[in-house]
Amino acid sequence: MITKKAALGEGTLMIYRMVLVSLIAVIVLGMSSIYYDYSLNVRDAEAQILSKQIVNCIAPEGKIENLSIERGKLLDYCDIKNVDRFYVNMSVGGLNFWQGDSGAIWVKNLFSNGKIDTEAIEKYKPGFYSSEFPVLFGDKKDIIKLDVFVSHDE
Amino acid sequence: MKSRRSSDFPRLCTGSSILAKPKKSSLMHEILIHIILIALIFALFYAATLDKASSRAVKQQVLEKQIALFIDSASPGMEFTIQKNNMKGTVSNMEIKEGRVFAYVDGQSLSKGYPYFSKNYVSLEKKEGEYLIKIR
């Protein structure tokens, strides 16, 4: 024989049990999705491709004709899309051009100096490519020095 | 005359309502609810692990990033095809919009996509058994 109060108590207990089981299920599923998550890193390849596109834009056929680039707008000058993830720094003929957040250099140094364990956050390591391209700047031989950083896609 | 316990009979009482239930069916009811709950949780775990075990998300990622790299490194006038029945699985759908490549493998419905940075115009044609990407 169950009284009305006891039936109400049993209902409350059932709700508590369901909430507890749901919480455990969410925790287990969440942890398994984090543990089995796999991120393929192609940022180094992207950095290399981007550097070649920039050089082809600035010096088509290896010759620099015009360098009227606005400060901090190197990628916009070359009509590159989705520039939020990139930081590029180029120097040629004593001039310096760049675009993006230079904090990417600090993040890259964090991964490369080895002072902290970065294995758990390896998926956030920026892609990097540094290169030098010999070109003709006006009538003189010069070298384009280019550093490209590609951050993780949000 | 068989003796019976007083608890076997429903009690009538004025003032408060009392529910009278036999003990065996109450236990069965509880067990049934627990079995249904456990079955539901198992079904949830099975669905979640099935997705991980088939590695559709990894195949999707590989496909999207490879296509984005192709687009980034391509010159105007180039075009390339992706077979629907791919070694990375059956590509059930593909989209290129808002500067991102979206690929759906083996009936997936969600994709975060991967961005490309090419300044060229990129178009996608869906043909029988393949997808044709043109760079102009």
Side-chain angles (χ1 to χ4, degrees):
Chain A
M1 202 160 34
I2 302 169
T3 62
K4 196 175 182 183
K5 281 183 183 175
L8 192 65
E10 204 171 302
T12 309
L13 203 63
M14 186 57 71
I15 292 170
Y16 162 75
R17 283 175 193 163
M18 283 185 69
V19 167
L20 190 66
V21 167
S22 306
L23 187 67
I24 292 168
V26 164
I27 289 170
V28 169
L29 287 173
M31 283 175 65
S32 66
S33 67
I34 289 167
Y35 184 77
Y36 290 114
D37 185 35
Y38 178 78
S39 182
L40 184 67
N41 186 352
V42 297
R43 291 187 285 275
D44 286 333
E46 280 187 289
Q48 194 170 354
I49 293 169
L50 182 59
S51 67
K52 286 178 183 168
Q53 297 291 349
I54 292 170
V55 169
N56 286 339
C57 162
I58 299 295
E61 297 177 6
K63 200 172 178 183
I64 300 176
E65 299 285 345
N66 183 19
L67 266 186
S68 56
I69 304 172
E70 211 178 309
R71 282 175 69 83
K73 298 284 183 186
L74 175 58
L75 293 172
D76 292 345
Y77 176 81
C78 295
D79 291 327
I80 302 292
K81 292 180 189 170
N82 296 321
V83 298
D84 297 336
R85 294 188 299 140
F86 307 131
Y87 171 68
V88 294
N89 190 17
M90 182 184 81
S91 60
V92 62
L95 302 169
N96 198 46
F97 306 95
W98 74 94
Q99 183 165 350
D101 179 12
S102 57
I105 303 172
W106 177 82
V107 176
K108 191 198 166 291
N109 289 339
L110 194 71
F111 281 90
S112 54
N113 65 14
K115 285 182 182 172
I116 59 168
D117 180 19
T118 55
E119 198 179 322
I121 53 169
E122 196 65 26
K123 67 185 271 187
Y124 298 106
K125 183 181 177 183
F128 172 68
Y129 187 70
S130 180
S131 54
E132 292 181 358
F133 299 90
V135 292
L136 269 179
F137 193 2
D139 295 325
K140 292 181 187 174
K141 286 184 186 176
D142 208 325
I143 294 176
I144 291 178
K145 290 181 185 175
L146 189 59
D147 289 335
V148 177
F149 295 84
V150 179
S151 302
H152 175 70
D153 176 41
E154 296 292 333
Chain B
M1 199 169 159
K2 203 176 178 181
S3 63
R4 290 185 180 222
R5 288 177 289 180
S6 58
S7 60
D8 289 340
F9 292 96
R11 256 201 258 169
L12 294 170
C13 189
T14 56
S16 61
S17 61
I18 293 171
L19 302 169
K21 269 189 188 173
K23 287 180 185 175
K24 283 181 183 175
S25 66
S26 171
L27 191 63
M28 278 303 294
H29 181 70
E30 220 173 283
I31 288 169
L32 198 65
I33 289 174
H34 279 113
I35 287 170
I36 290 169
L37 206 62
I38 289 166
L40 276 172
I41 300 295
F42 261 113
L44 194 68
F45 280 148
Y46 181 74
T49 51
L50 196 68
D51 194 50
K52 292 287 176 194
S54 66
S55 65
R56 285 189 305 175
V58 177
K59 290 174 186 173
Q60 181 187 50
Q61 216 187 121
V62 168
L63 201 58
E64 285 175 350
K65 290 180 179 177
Q66 274 189 338
I67 293 170
L69 290 177
F70 271 131
I71 292 171
D72 289 336
S73 53
S75 303
M78 284 185 176
E79 54 186 57
F80 51 95
T81 56
I82 295 119
Q83 298 297 322
K84 276 190 182 173
N85 292 323
N86 209 301
M87 61 182 281
K88 292 173 184 60
T90 305
V91 185
S92 44
N93 194 15
M94 192 179 289
E95 291 172 327
I96 295 179
K97 56 182 181 182
E98 296 166 4
R100 296 182 84 96
V101 178
F102 299 88
Y104 304 93
V105 177
D106 295 334
Q108 282 174 319
S109 56
L110 290 172
S111 172
K112 207 177 71 168
Y114 197 73
Y116 61 88
F117 57 79
S118 175
K119 63 181 179 182
N120 302 311
Y121 177 74
V122 182
S123 64
L124 172 70
E125 277 178 38
K126 297 179 186 179
K127 293 187 170 184
E128 187 70 36
E130 63 183 22
Y131 299 95
L132 177 66
I133 297 176
K134 290 183 179 177
I135 316 293
R136 282 183 274 149

